[in-house]
Amino acid sequence: MHRLRHRASRSRPRIAGHHTAGSEKLLHPHKDYEKTTPFSLLLQPFQWLQMLSHQLNTSFVVGIFLVYGLSQGFSGSFFRVVTDYYWKDVQKVQPSEVQLYMGLYYIPWVMKPVWGLLTDVFPVRGYHRRPYFVLAGVLGTVAALVVALSGKLAVGVALVCLVGITAAMAIADVTIDACIARNSIEFRSLAPDMQSLCGFVPLLGALGLLAIPPASVIGLGLVIYELKTNAVVSSDKNNKVQAVQKLGGAIKGMYQTIQIPQVWKPSLYMYLSLALSISTHEGQFYWYTNPKLADGPAFSQEFVGMIYAIGALASIVGVLIYHKLLKDYPFRKLLFFAQLLFGLTGMLDLIFILRLNKRVGVPDSFFVITEECVSRIVTRIRWIPMIVLSTRLCPLGIEGTFFALLMCIDSFGSLTNKWGGGMVLHIFHVTRTDFSNLWLVVLIRNILRLATLSFIFLIPNVDPSETIIPADLLGNAIKSGGDEDADNLQLVPFNEEDEV
């Protein structure tokens, strides 16, 4: 077992904290290929991927493309468009009700720490990760096929199936997030690059059938590299005792870490920045797709799909702007201006709803595409540094489960803004046919976005390369929460020459 672990560890090129003078250059290879010729600019994305594959293992990059690109990007893009029209045209429910239902989509994401604990503590036939990938793939495939092949379902059944699809995405997401969190700690200078890749890949997927992506996750469960644990040779009683001890240790480790001010303060800000930006999406969607309004845009399904596709392209621009220009800025400064822009650009929705664009002769189609592009770019620039910051708050040893906890907080913020937006839409009587107060709801949303700036002091005023939490937590596993099998999880080392 020791020899196997030693061989497996060689698939990691280098470990943070043990860099030589030569290895430091390898951790910043993008500085070597930044040229000014047009041809080199075309080659940069491929050289960048090659650098990440060399530094972090090829299969790690492939795993990101599979989970983030196919399962979340490709499937998620269709999921958003399809469910909007499904609730509006098939189930014919009110926009405030849809916001409540869509809030339930976030429940599996709020439960990410549970999925993380299950994969860490309760192996199936000696494997911690593979069975859960297979479970995610089967769950997502079955749920998607039920909705696609059954026509109109009872609201409760349809909701269970749609939540099942998001649960499949969340379970698959947990394991790859654990890999990202560990690599972000060990290769600190590459953390922004990893999050740029994670932000870029789903957008490629969004530009790419709902059952295929979760089915592909089953394949990941079959090929993911993982050493079998020794727990299978122990008695069932010992297995249960060890599982309980690991579960208690992981929970204790998370509890100890979240109490550190450098951790809970930015976590609180990330929750507030999402929760206070109440969602008005369903009210706006019902408004601009209603063909019976005298002065409404009456957008067709094809045009709405085109808006989302163009928005995905704009999101790629946002990722590139962050990666090329903003990734080295201090977290507090970057998030302050990103949140400020987020609030100000929200006023474009208000201009559109009040039809002010028509008064100055700007066509609806041009205005809404411009608004979508600006909004997507700003949202990406605001989102990526928060994820980078989250990876920097995770201690080694429980980084996977703790990162899942931080993403749970973010998901809970998204759930809050969906339900909060639904309540505001209901209070101001925005329905399927009455949109007279929609402008007021959007104005309230924008004011709340700007109000979030008053909490920016919770974000540490440090550069992405600086230490945020104490070195003893970053450099050493929390013994109470550590797992001796934590190093066993890697994706298949395609470039590993030795046989495991």
Side-chain angles (χ1 to χ4, degrees), residues 3-12 225 227 487-488 490 493 496 500:
R3 186 178 66 176
L4 288 173
R5 187 172 295 180
H6 173 71
R7 284 183 175 181
S9 67
R10 285 193 291 175
S11 64
R12 293 181 183 176
Y225 175 76
L227 295 178
D487 289 335
N488 288 351
Q490 298 178 55
E496 176 65 77
V500 177

Side-chain angles (χ1 to χ4, degrees), residues 96-171:
S96 57
E97 293 180 57
V98 178
Q99 296 250 165
L100 174 63
Y101 297 154
M102 289 190 168
L104 296 177
Y105 296 170
Y106 291 98
I107 294 295
W109 295 92
V110 171
M111 294 176 62
K112 282 183 69 174
V114 176
W115 313 135
L117 286 172
L118 287 175
T119 60
D120 285 341
V121 176
F122 298 103
V124 178
R125 295 186 178 273
Y127 293 103
H128 284 272
R129 318 296 180 184
R130 289 185 174 186
Y132 294 97
F133 271 118
V134 175
L135 171 64
V138 171
L139 176 61
T141 302
V142 172
L145 289 176
V146 169
V147 175
L149 300 177
S150 300
K152 183 176 181 179
L153 297 168
V155 170
V157 176
L159 187 59
V160 168
C161 290
L162 294 175
V163 172
I165 295 172
T166 62
M169 295 180 189
I171 294 171

Side-chain angles (χ1 to χ4, degrees), residues 173-249:
D173 183 79
V174 165
T175 300
I176 201 69
D177 277 353
C179 301
I180 293 168
R182 174 173 284 273
N183 282 330
S184 295
I185 295 171
E186 294 180 350
F187 301 93
R188 193 177 301 174
S189 63
L190 294 179
D193 294 84
M194 280 183 270
Q195 292 306 324
S196 295
L197 179 63
C198 293
F200 182 74
V201 167
L203 307 175
L204 287 181
L207 296 173
L209 304 157
L210 203 52
I212 295 177
S216 67
V217 176
I218 300 175
L220 182 59
L222 298 176
V223 303
I224 190 170
Y225 175 76
E226 181 183 7
L227 295 178
K228 211 169 184 178
T229 65
N230 289 327
V232 294
V233 300
S234 304
S235 66
D236 290 340
K237 184 176 180 180
N238 288 338
N239 285 345
K240 293 178 181 179
V241 172
Q242 291 175 4
V244 171
Q245 289 176 344
K246 290 179 181 179
L247 178 62

Side-chain angles (χ1 to χ4, degrees), residues 5-56:
R5 187 172 295 180
H6 173 71
R7 284 183 175 181
S9 67
R10 285 193 291 175
S11 64
R12 293 181 183 176
R14 284 168 177 79
I15 301 297
H18 297 80
H19 304 313
T20 63
S23 68
E24 181 64 25
K25 182 179 179 181
L26 284 174
L27 286 178
H28 299 276
H30 49 276
K31 293 181 180 178
D32 295 333
Y33 61 73
E34 284 182 353
K35 308 296 183 181
T36 55
T37 64
F39 183 69
S40 66
L41 290 175
L42 292 175
L43 288 179
Q44 276 193 19
F46 302 100
Q47 293 173 327
W48 179 57
L49 288 174
Q50 183 181 27
M51 176 272 293
L52 290 177
S53 298
H54 174 71
Q55 291 292 313
L56 304 170

Side-chain angles (χ1 to χ4, degrees), residues 199-380:
F200 182 74
V201 167
L203 307 175
L204 287 181
L207 296 173
L209 304 157
L210 203 52
I212 295 177
S216 67
V217 176
I218 300 175
L220 182 59
L222 298 176
V223 303
I224 190 170
Y225 175 76
E226 181 183 7
L227 295 178
K228 211 169 184 178
T229 65
N230 289 327
V232 294
V233 300
S234 304
S235 66
D236 290 340
K237 184 176 180 180
N238 288 338
N239 285 345
K240 293 178 181 179
V241 172
Q242 291 175 4
V244 171
Q245 289 176 344
K246 290 179 181 179
L247 178 62
I251 294 174
K252 182 179 179 181
M254 288 193 297
Y255 177 73
Q256 290 174 343
T257 305
I258 201 66
Q259 288 182 307
I260 301 173
Q262 297 96 318
V263 176
W264 69 258
K265 286 183 178 180
S267 300
L268 177 60
Y269 175 82
M270 286 186 279
Y271 168 76
L272 292 173
S273 68
L274 290 168
L276 291 179
S277 179
I278 60 173
S279 174
T280 60
H281 171 72
E282 294 310 312
Q284 293 175 253
F285 176 79
Y286 275 56
W287 172 72
Y288 63 64
T289 58
N290 192 325
K292 298 180 180 179
L293 294 179
D295 193 33
F299 291 147
S300 65
Q301 294 182 15
E302 294 78 11
F303 185 73
V304 171
M306 186 180 71
I307 292 173
Y308 289 165
I310 294 175
L313 287 172
S315 294
I316 294 176
V317 174
V319 173
L320 293 176
I321 291 174
Y322 170 79
H323 178 70
K324 302 297 290 186
L325 303 174
L326 303 174
K327 67 180 181 180
D328 295 324
Y329 276 73
F331 287 115
R332 183 182 295 178
K333 178 185 291 186
L334 180 55
L335 287 174
F336 174 85
F337 287 106
Q339 186 67 34
L340 179 62
L341 284 174
F342 189 54
L344 294 178
T345 55
M347 296 298 178
L348 293 175
D349 287 330
L350 190 62
I351 293 172
F352 186 46
I353 292 170
L354 293 176
R355 317 301 284 137
L356 299 180
N357 63 295
K358 298 288 285 184
R359 297 183 184 180
V360 295
V362 179
D364 286 338
S365 56
F366 177 81
F367 187 88
V368 76
I369 289 175
T370 302
E371 185 275 332
E372 180 74 7
C373 291
V374 172
S375 175
R376 291 289 195 100
I377 291 172
V378 173
T379 298
R380 283 291 154 181

